[in-house]
Amino acid sequence: MLNDFLDIHPEVRAALDNNQPVVALESTIISHGMPYPQNVETALKVSNTVREAGATPATIAIINGRLKVGLTPEEIELLGKAGQSVTKVSRRDIPFIVASGKHGATTVAATMILADMAGVRVFATGGIGGVHRGAETTFDVSADLQELAQTNVAVVCAGAKSILDLGLTLEYLETHGVPVIGYQTESLPAFYTQSSDFNVDYRLDSADEIAAVLKAKQQLGLKGGSVIANPIPTEYAMPKDVIDSAIEQALREADEQGIHGKASTPFLLARVCELTGGDSLSSNIQLVLNNARLASAIAIAYCA
Ligand code: PSU
Ligand code: MN
């Protein structure tokens, strides 16, 4: 065992020992990113999608103070049912949840840390945290970005939501040497929509090409992660005006109610979902499944 605090699920352990592809999945998206029961249904569906694509899923969380790489369906249900009452755990929070023996749902940053401890190199999620709009006064920059700067895990996402400042998020990633790869696109996807006003750094059109870049980065000893931005499939994308106005309203309400810190992203996600009458949730579910498929293909190519 690499680490006394770490429990790697036997199925994940076996895959890693045999150089078989593994895809990490996060748990804040379960507890804080979607409502129950869609959160649990989606998490189980994402795991199945990874399996069907030929890789082993490893959902990551903290359960009773143990760092878990690979959850049982019962553990996924527990986190989904508990929802926002589970602690949202980023890098800062990990030792507190371990020391107190509690449960924690891991953000992109914390999931990357645990994946790295276990040796899992590819991770699928919905959206990463980023530089929030208005960050020039609030300083609200997600710890996900700093983690991408230092931890060797590639994150497949659908770009970044426009609750964030996409331009500043790209600038931050550039400064910290984190490449943003567009899968079959030059435009940075904006989560609910396939494109934005910003371009990715590199467009790559196949999982093999992406895996080759990840390998080269690893072999060169360049620390840090990569962002692989995978546009939402056309049929599930949302009309730009509908999603933009819901986001504007959610941002205004967050400001009026003084929502800040770690509560900000979950508040905005939940409000956008309510304001679009659940349409944004269906898009969210589909793009996560789409990311799980691409991440599996990359993990398979990476192991080949
Ligand atoms: N963006 C989403 N869905 C999510 C999150 C972000 O579209 O569920 C979650 C992820 O777990 C991400 C976290 O790591 O929010 C970022 O939170 P913060 O902005 O507080 O760092
Ligand atoms: Mn923040």
Side-chain angles (χ1 to χ4, degrees):
M1 183 69 55
L2 292 154
N3 179 317
D4 287 344
F5 299 96
L6 191 63
D7 291 335
I8 302 179
H9 190 287
E11 185 194 9
V12 176
R13 173 88 275 161
L16 290 169
D17 287 347
N18 293 298
N19 191 36
Q20 297 295 309
V22 177
V23 173
L25 302 164
E26 62 149 314
S27 47
T28 293
I29 190 175
I30 304 175
S31 60
H32 293 68
M34 289 184 191
Y36 182 80
Q38 288 94 335
N39 55 1
V40 172
E41 284 162 20
T42 305
L44 297 173
K45 221 186 257 178
V46 171
S47 291
N48 284 336
T49 300
V50 170
R51 265 184 239 287
E52 280 161 18
T56 299
T59 309
I60 290 180
I62 305 179
I63 302 288
N64 294 317
R66 301 289 304 170
L67 309 181
K68 297 281 182 187
V69 176
L71 296 185
T72 63
E74 294 73 28
E75 288 165 336
I76 288 176
E77 173 77 23
L78 179 146
L79 293 174
K81 249 196 179 137
Q84 310 245 355
S85 70
V86 174
T87 304
K88 172 180 162 187
V89 174
S90 196
R91 170 177 276 271
R92 160 190 80 180
D93 311 287
I94 295 172
F96 295 89
I97 302 305
V98 167
S100 61
K102 293 194 172 138
H103 303 326
T106 49
T107 62
V108 168
T111 302
M112 288 178 74
I113 295 170
L114 272 53
D116 182 50
M117 283 179 185
V120 179
R121 297 287 151 222
V122 183
F123 165 16
T125 187
I128 55 169
V131 179
H132 280 257
R133 294 212 226 161
E136 49 294 10
T137 50
T138 63
F139 268 49
D140 191 351
V141 178
S142 174
D144 292 352
L145 299 186
Q146 196 49 41
E147 208 56 53
L148 281 159
Q150 59 177 325
T151 301
N152 302 344
V153 174
V155 182
V156 180
C157 64
K161 281 204 177 65
S162 52
I163 59 172
L164 303 173
D165 186 316
L166 301 188
L168 292 186
T169 299
L170 288 174
E171 291 294 347
Y172 190 102
L173 290 170
E174 180 182 27
T175 300
H176 292 276
V178 180
V180 178
I181 299 164
Y183 177 64
Q184 299 182 347
T185 183
E186 268 110 46
S187 175
L188 176 69
F191 201 85
Y192 300 113
T193 54
Q194 291 189 309
S195 62
S196 68
D197 297 336
F198 298 90
N199 284 340
V200 295
D201 304 319
Y202 293 91
R203 170 184 172 147
L204 296 177
D205 289 337
S206 69
D208 283 345
E209 289 169 274
I210 296 170
V213 169
L214 300 180
K215 267 223 164 97
K217 178 163 175 157
Q218 178 89 356
Q219 286 165 349
L220 289 163
L222 294 168
K223 74 173 178 127
S226 304
V227 174
I228 296 141
N230 184 27
I232 185 170
T234 326
E235 60 271 40
Y236 303 114
M238 292 193 66
K240 193 177 174 329
D241 53 331
V242 172
I243 195 66
D244 282 354
S245 75
I247 286 172
E248 289 297 341
Q249 183 174 337
L251 285 166
R252 244 187 345 264
E253 291 178 7
D255 190 41
E256 283 158 13
Q257 295 174 38
I259 311 278
H260 66 276
K262 69 195 285 189
S264 176
T265 298
F267 174 87
L268 294 169
L269 297 177
R271 268 316 269 154
V272 168
C273 174
E274 284 164 12
L275 291 167
T276 58
D279 285 358
S280 68
L281 181 59
S282 325
S283 296
N284 201 342
I285 292 169
Q286 292 301 328
L287 65 82
V288 176
L289 295 171
N290 190 47
N291 294 343
R293 282 186 287 268
L294 178 59
S296 302
I298 295 168
I300 290 166
Y302 192 83
C303 285

